[in-house]
Amino acid sequence: MASSYNLVFLHVLVMFCLANIAFSDLSDDFYDDICPQALPTIRRVVEDAVSQERRMGASLLRLHFHDCFVNGCDASILLDQTATIDSEKTARPNNNSARGFEVIDRIKSEVDRVCGRPVVSCADILAVAARDSVVALHGPTWEVELGRRDSTTASRTTADNDIPTPLMDLPALIDNFKKQGLDEEDLVALSGAHTLGFAQCSTFRNRIYNEINNIDSTFASQRQANCPRSGGDSNLASLDPTSALFDSKYFTNLVSKKGLLHSDQALFSGGETDELVKTYSTNLRTFSKDFAESMIKMGNIKPLTGNEGQIRVDCRKVN
């Protein structure tokens, strides 16, 4: 009887251990034994892409953000439209603005080559490329937790509904981030990604022409010069004065009512995030630390692990 009990106990213990292995948390050493050259290869390709076009750093960072906010960090944003895939690339927040897909393709090709087979997921590539882009533009580094797997589905509808819009006010932003398990500090810190990159005229036109009381008039006039009341929807303006340098000027701009997007300025408009914006505007070290911590937290949103999903051979399509 005791022997039978021990066998049952052993079987249960083995199954429990296997379950923990299959669905364990992400880890920063996931590829150390499988393919130690994976992360250096991603870094090399990212550095090359950013050196050729500084704007690419912001674009790769944005891809990771827009991926994680739609059913978790699973590389669903990379899937092209097919008869069975409702591509997120055509969702309102991404259509004609999400970019960097060719860089991800190049990373995937190079990583699979050095690893000898497809062992690195597209979702992990997005997470690592986001970190390496920030570092390439003189921002903080952090240990990216790894082991995500790739989705076999995408959802344009969820992308339309869950990616925050540039027209959101503070309560809507707080609710949007809360839905992803992120708090107000994460909201402000991650919005600081707008220290890098550009926005299209169509996303800030209403602000520079109609928000008279919450925008610096000189700033508005300067932006109007390249963003007419009609036409020029894709004309670009930098999100902060140093669009290719990770610094705290994005927050300095908010304090001066020079936030480009309505959703930017909403962070400093008499609400509960005002004090944190002030802190970041004068303390780059604190912003950098909080940004890195929030990036790790965002990267942990509902990852597929173990036997879930797949490791795509081509990031643009399901195997």
Side-chain angles (χ1 to χ4, degrees):
M1 183 74 176
S3 176
S4 176
Y5 173 81
N6 288 339
L7 284 173
V8 171
F9 177 77
L10 181 61
H11 176 74
V12 171
L13 182 62
V14 169
M15 293 304 293
F16 177 77
C17 291
L18 288 174
N20 275 349
I21 291 170
F23 300 104
S24 60
D25 291 335
L26 306 177
S27 65
D28 57 20
D29 61 355
F30 188 85
Y31 296 109
D32 284 5
D33 295 327
I34 304 171
C35 183
Q37 286 304 308
L39 299 192
T41 301
I42 296 173
R43 183 175 65 248
R44 174 176 57 79
V45 178
V46 169
E47 287 175 348
D48 180 63
V50 173
S51 70
Q52 292 184 43
E53 183 194 6
R54 305 293 282 177
R55 181 186 169 201
M56 186 54 68
S59 299
L60 294 174
L61 177 58
R62 186 170 181 255
L63 279 183
H64 181 46
F65 180 91
H66 282 208
D67 179 43
C68 291
F69 266 58
V70 183
N71 297 321
C73 309
D74 59 4
S76 58
I77 192 172
L78 302 178
L79 290 172
D80 287 339
Q81 185 78 23
T82 70
T84 57
I85 296 294
D86 193 14
S87 179
E88 294 163 21
K89 294 179 180 181
T90 58
R92 285 189 299 273
N94 298 325
N95 194 32
N96 297 319
S97 65
R99 58 196 300 274
F101 299 108
E102 294 80 7
V103 176
I104 300 300
D105 291 340
R106 182 182 162 203
I107 294 171
K108 177 64 171 169
S109 175
E110 289 290 305
V111 167
D112 285 357
R113 182 181 62 80
V114 299
C115 295
R117 63 197 192 285
V119 294
V120 181
S121 69
C122 302
D124 275 349
I125 287 173
L126 284 174
V128 176
R131 188 271 310 274
D132 291 347
S133 293
V134 170
V135 173
L137 296 172
H138 306 288
T141 190
W142 59 91
E143 292 288 344
V144 177
E145 298 188 347
L146 302 163
R148 300 168 191 79
R149 288 170 65 86
D150 300 323
S151 71
T152 56
T153 62
S155 176
R156 180 175 56 85
T157 300
T158 305
D160 280 332
N161 292 335
D162 287 2
I163 296 174
T165 78
L167 302 178
M168 283 183 170
D169 57 17
L170 185 58
L173 288 167
I174 291 173
D175 287 346
N176 179 276
F177 274 63
K178 185 177 180 180
K179 183 177 180 181
Q180 304 293 346
L182 302 172
D183 59 25
E184 292 174 18
E185 182 176 298
D186 298 315
L187 164 62
V188 179
L190 292 172
S191 294
H194 285 178
T195 183
L196 305 171
F198 296 79
Q200 296 185 11
C201 170
S202 59
T203 64
F204 60 85
R205 176 183 286 117
N206 185 68
R207 171 159 167 72
I208 63 175
Y209 285 103
N210 298 324
E211 296 183 18
I212 300 172
N213 296 324
N214 200 29
I215 189 168
D216 178 86
S217 58
T218 301
F219 174 78
S221 297
Q222 291 170 341
R223 293 297 169 268
Q224 289 170 9
N226 194 44
C227 182
R229 286 185 179 273
S230 62
D233 285 2
S234 60
N235 291 357
L236 297 175
S238 60
L239 286 157
D240 95 338
T242 51
S243 61
L245 177 66
F246 191 99
D247 58 21
S248 59
K249 290 184 180 178
Y250 166 77
F251 296 104
T252 305
N253 262 16
L254 299 187
V255 174
S256 303
K257 295 186 177 182
K258 296 179 182 178
L260 183 63
L261 306 177
H262 177 86
S263 56
D264 290 331
Q265 196 60 54
L267 302 177
F268 191 82
S269 56
E272 55 263 51
T273 55
D274 279 15
E275 286 305 311
L276 189 54
V277 169
K278 283 183 181 178
T279 297
Y280 289 165
S281 72
T282 58
N283 195 323
L284 177 59
R285 183 184 297 271
T286 300
F287 164 48
S288 296
K289 178 182 72 68
D290 289 354
F291 179 82
E293 290 174 356
S294 291
M295 285 295 294
I296 294 171
K297 190 173 176 181
M298 184 185 77
N300 281 332
I301 296 175
K302 295 186 292 186
L304 301 175
T305 58
N307 294 320
E308 300 173 310
Q310 61 181 212
I311 305 297
R312 290 187 210 140
V313 176
D314 181 339
C315 288
R316 295 174 180 258
K317 60 185 180 181
V318 175
N319 294 348

